[in-house]
Amino acid sequence: MTTVARDSRTVVDSTPPPAKPAAGPSRHRFRAAAGFAFGAAVLFAVAPLVLSDFRLSLLAKYLCVAMVAVGIGLAWGRGGMLALGQGVFFGLGGYAMAMHLKLADAGPGNMPDFMLLYGQLDELPLWWRPFASPWFALPATVLLPMGVAFVLGSLVFRRRVRGAYFAILSQALAAAMVILLIGQQGTTGGTNGLTDIQGFFGYDLDDPVNQRMVYFIIAGTLLALLALARHLMQCRYGELLVAVRDGEERVRFLGYDPAGVKLVAYVVAAGMAGLAGALFVPAVGIISPAMIGIVPSIEFVIGVAVGGRATLLGPVLGAVAVAWARTALSERFPGGWTYLQGLLFVVVVAFLPGGLASLIGLLRRDEGKRRFGWLRRTRCPEGQVSS
Amino acid sequence: MTVLIGQLFTGVSIGAVLLLIALGLALTFGQMGVINMAHGEFIMAGAYTTYVLQQVITAAGWSLLIALPVAFVVAGAMGVLLEYLLIRRLYARPLDTLLVTWGVSLILQQLARDIFGSPNVQTRAPQLLTGNIALPGGITVANNRLFILALAAAAVAALTVGLRVTPLGRRIRAVVQNRDLAAVSGIPTARVDRMTFFIGSGLAGVAGVALTLLGPIGPTMGTNLIIDAFLVVVVGGIGQLKGTVIVAFALGVLQATGEYLTTLSVAKVMVFIAIVAFLQWRPQGMFTLRTRSLA
């Protein structure tokens, strides 16, 4: 799978094609560090200077989507698991955070307003109570989705359920979760979700200064997750993950446990989605079933596909670009965006399976030669995993 | 006892709807391995076909009867177009067909919104199908549910016979079992693929006609149905119609029982858990074609 390695390297660190003498590991690390410094400078210095408060809070929202995309890039791009239900983990993180913030808003001993409205409950439901403590709620935003992913993943991967079966199951999980949330209106807020979140650990979210702080937290988290993903992709485990993607049986014959390898990537991706959901809540002030169902879950995937599923930065840039395009275009042509979104799916996946990231590499390699031949020779970065 | 039988019939009628919407998928996903997310939109196309025909033909009975073959052809033609334009390029990577056809489904939904408007529309059911039949023992059976059951049975019978007896059916089975060998034997595999897609998508259209008897027609109706239909095919097993039939009814009864004992939402989650548990026992679904493939 040299294509994959080459593609990812060209995009991640912009190393020249491997025909030239390969860069040593120290140079690699230097380039990666420089890339991170550049990314951090853009996120922390340039964006806050250039963008208005409104646009900055939009960017915060996009960056949350990008965090989910990093996880999908790991699980799908590297691991070959098309996880269509990332909305579930995003939602688990989001709801855990929102429950805590709701309880904090209401004050000790009080119940969130919607419960009195719809639930006619006399007291707080048992499963809400632990979320009053930030020491429970904060770890829960990550551990809860990881736990669910662990249970589902170990059940599914051990029995070698994969490919389309796994995609459909993960999607069904999203459908089931949304139906469950809507059905339990009294305790979950139903279709409305948990709305109108005012405070964030004592800070008023309406204050632009605090919104800016939330943005910085989100940007910092995204960078940390990228570093984690880069590490996982570059270390021995990353090699193994790609190997499992491209030839699961062969890896099994070599004495490894493919189920465990896949499980790690899936659980890490779930944790990233959970964290993204948790940070999405203070950035937007609401979490509802409409943000975590089948449709948003698939929309998480499209950004990854557009950017380049097998690369490190592709998913992030793709997710931000698609989310940004959505806002920009649906402001002007409300119906038109859906057509464009559909076309994006069709064109990118069918004709450019490596995403836009592969386009850069392909163009570079073919410079001067067959300038229009690249389209036909586009290869699927998934290798033979899909068959 | 009456309650039990009543619930059983509810389950069977849910199963019949599931079966009808999953039948086309059993062909395109089960036999060909193509994950067509636009299948739900083909169902929607069938439903809107009924609606359009009813604007022209006012007698509800006739319009429904005419809608069945027309919807089959309309949805089938859409399927062939999709196969020709996109899917045949993607046979080597089935997972990607999922994303591509999801894009197609987004476009079709918006198209429906632009043509018919976002609000749901309603068709009139023929007089014959609006009432109930009272069975001895105080059990009532809704006529429209009974009609859907009959339609599902007819579709299964037609498909089974078609696959077993007709030359096209034999070719389809040959291509499914060993594409290369079939091609070497002189079977035009590309044409067979297209015909398989025509029939599978056409069946979605028929399901759409049946669904107009149960509820409103809207641009997003397909999305809600498609996951259930896929689950039926997954649990039923690849390449086996009998698995699809058994699982559709089993899930229908499970859903109805769960709904009766708890709530609709809890029942849905129960069904999901049951499916994951079932896949622990039989990861390849209820019935599978035996192969020696390593994957």
Side-chain angles (χ1 to χ4, degrees), chain B residues 254-269:
Chain B
L254 189 66
Q255 172 79 32
T257 317
E259 233 171 281
Y260 176 70
L261 295 176
T262 57
T263 61
L264 173 82
S265 56
V266 176
K268 279 273 181 198
V269 178

Side-chain angles (χ1 to χ4, degrees), chain B residues 53-172:
Chain B
L53 279 172
Q54 208 158 69
Q55 310 303 310
V56 186
I57 305 161
T58 35
W62 284 110
S63 64
L64 188 76
L65 267 185
I66 296 169
L68 284 172
V70 174
F72 185 85
V73 174
V74 167
M78 288 167 80
V80 169
L81 199 66
L82 181 69
E83 202 274 346
Y84 181 73
L85 291 178
L86 291 171
I87 289 174
R88 74 193 162 103
R89 299 165 209 276
L90 296 168
Y91 281 123
R93 27 188 190 118
L95 264 187
D96 285 358
T97 60
L98 192 159
L99 296 172
V100 168
T101 52
W102 174 263
V104 172
S105 90
L106 283 178
I107 294 172
L108 289 177
Q109 275 178 30
Q110 188 60 35
L111 209 60
R113 239 176 250 129
D114 286 348
I115 297 174
F116 299 102
S118 311
N120 290 341
V121 296
Q122 203 98 38
T123 58
R124 292 180 310 276
Q127 198 84 59
L128 199 65
L129 298 180
T130 48
N132 292 302
I133 294 175
L135 294 179
I139 302 159
T140 54
V141 172
N143 283 347
N144 55 359
R145 296 267 178 185
L146 218 53
F147 174 75
I148 289 174
L149 189 59
L151 194 62
V156 172
L159 197 56
T160 314
V161 172
L163 281 178
R164 277 185 190 281
V165 178
T166 64
L168 177 66
R170 275 200 295 272
R171 285 176 182 178
I172 291 175

Side-chain angles (χ1 to χ4, degrees), chain A residues 86-100:
Chain A
Q86 292 306 91
V88 171
F89 307 124
F90 187 79
L92 282 172
Y95 270 89
M97 178 64 100
M99 280 161 77
H100 172 69

Side-chain angles (χ1 to χ4, degrees), chain A residues 35 60 134 153 168 193 230 238 245 254 266 282 326 365 378:
Chain A
I168 288 163
R230 179 173 189 279
R245 177 191 74 185
L254 290 173
Y266 186 54
R326 177 205 196 88
R365 238 172 294 150
T378 304

